[in-house]
């Protein structure tokens, strides 16, 4: 198998609202930790959206989104938590947002079916009971979403 090549990367600082933030195809329904695919304690997913389940609330974690040509190595090795799922982006127009629709960035990926690895470290240090109106220097949680084409599914 060829060495995985990073095709694109973007970083976001979304707000955590009610313990979560999302990446979805524009106009997609949001996944629910109660009714859709659950990825450990990290995330939930439906066919066109991912929900990131934070360890805290009312703060701004770091989310790095990476698009690869093949499955890459996990970003934190054995440090942190990680889980995988599949997701389809029919139009490739994605947004990072809260459940109330506040958008913290957009990105475009080639339309298609992807494997997605969600990794996080620092969830145990996420602020609880504090409120931040803007991103802090230290995001407390570091998330990496790696996607690559789902060739065999």
């Amino acid at each position: 198998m060829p060495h995985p090549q990073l095709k694109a990367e973007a970083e976001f600082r979304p707000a955590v609202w009610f313990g979560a933030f999302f990446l979805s195809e524009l106009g997609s329904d949001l996944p629910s930790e109660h009714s859709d695919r659950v990825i450990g304690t990290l995330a939930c997913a439906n066919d066109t959206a991912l929900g990131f389940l934070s360890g805290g609330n009312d703060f701004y974690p770091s989310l790095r989104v990476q698009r690869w040509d093949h499955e890459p190595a996990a970003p934190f090795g054995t440090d942190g938590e990680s889980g995988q799922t599949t997701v389809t982006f029919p139009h490739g127009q994605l947004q990072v947002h809260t459940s109330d629709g506040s958008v913290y960035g957009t990105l475009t990926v080639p339309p298609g079916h992807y494997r997605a690895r969600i990794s996080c470290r620092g969830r145990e240090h996420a602020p609880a009971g504090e409120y931040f109106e803007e991103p802090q220097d230290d995001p407390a949680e570091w998330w990496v979403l790696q996607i690559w084409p789902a060739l065999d599914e």
Side-chain angles (χ1 to χ4, degrees):
M1 172 166 274
H3 183 71
Q5 297 293 312
L6 180 63
K7 295 298 190 178
E9 183 173 50
E11 188 161 347
F12 304 93
R13 293 292 300 273
V16 172
W17 198 56
F18 289 102
F21 61 95
F22 301 89
L23 180 134
S24 68
E25 181 87 37
L26 294 175
S28 292
D29 291 332
L30 296 182
S32 163
E33 63 184 297
H34 303 292
S35 63
D36 293 302
R37 294 188 310 268
V38 177
I39 302 127
T41 61
L42 281 179
C44 53
N46 62 27
D47 291 341
T48 58
L50 298 166
F52 300 81
L53 306 176
S54 175
N57 201 31
D58 295 327
F59 77 107
Y60 297 81
S62 170
L63 170 64
R64 183 175 301 258
V65 178
Q66 300 175 333
R67 184 174 57 84
W68 294 82
D69 63 350
H70 294 90
E71 181 176 2
F76 304 126
T78 59
D79 209 19
E81 302 172 69
S82 185
Q84 289 190 29
T85 191
T86 56
V87 66
T88 300
F89 301 129
H91 306 289
Q93 301 299 312
L94 310 180
Q95 62 183 0
V96 176
H97 58 94
T98 58
S99 59
D100 74 343
S102 298
V103 176
Y104 291 86
T106 61
L107 68 151
T108 302
V109 299
H113 192 60
Y114 291 91
R115 287 294 300 161
R117 177 186 294 122
I118 299 165
S119 301
C120 183
R121 66 177 182 184
R123 289 176 75 215
E124 67 278 9
H125 302 296
E130 299 179 56
Y131 175 75
F132 298 100
E133 290 188 16
E134 57 188 51
Q136 303 297 300
D137 291 339
D138 180 0
E141 286 182 347
W142 292 267
W143 292 84
V144 178
L145 170 63
Q146 298 170 307
I147 62 172
W148 62 94
L151 303 175
D152 298 333
E153 298 179 34

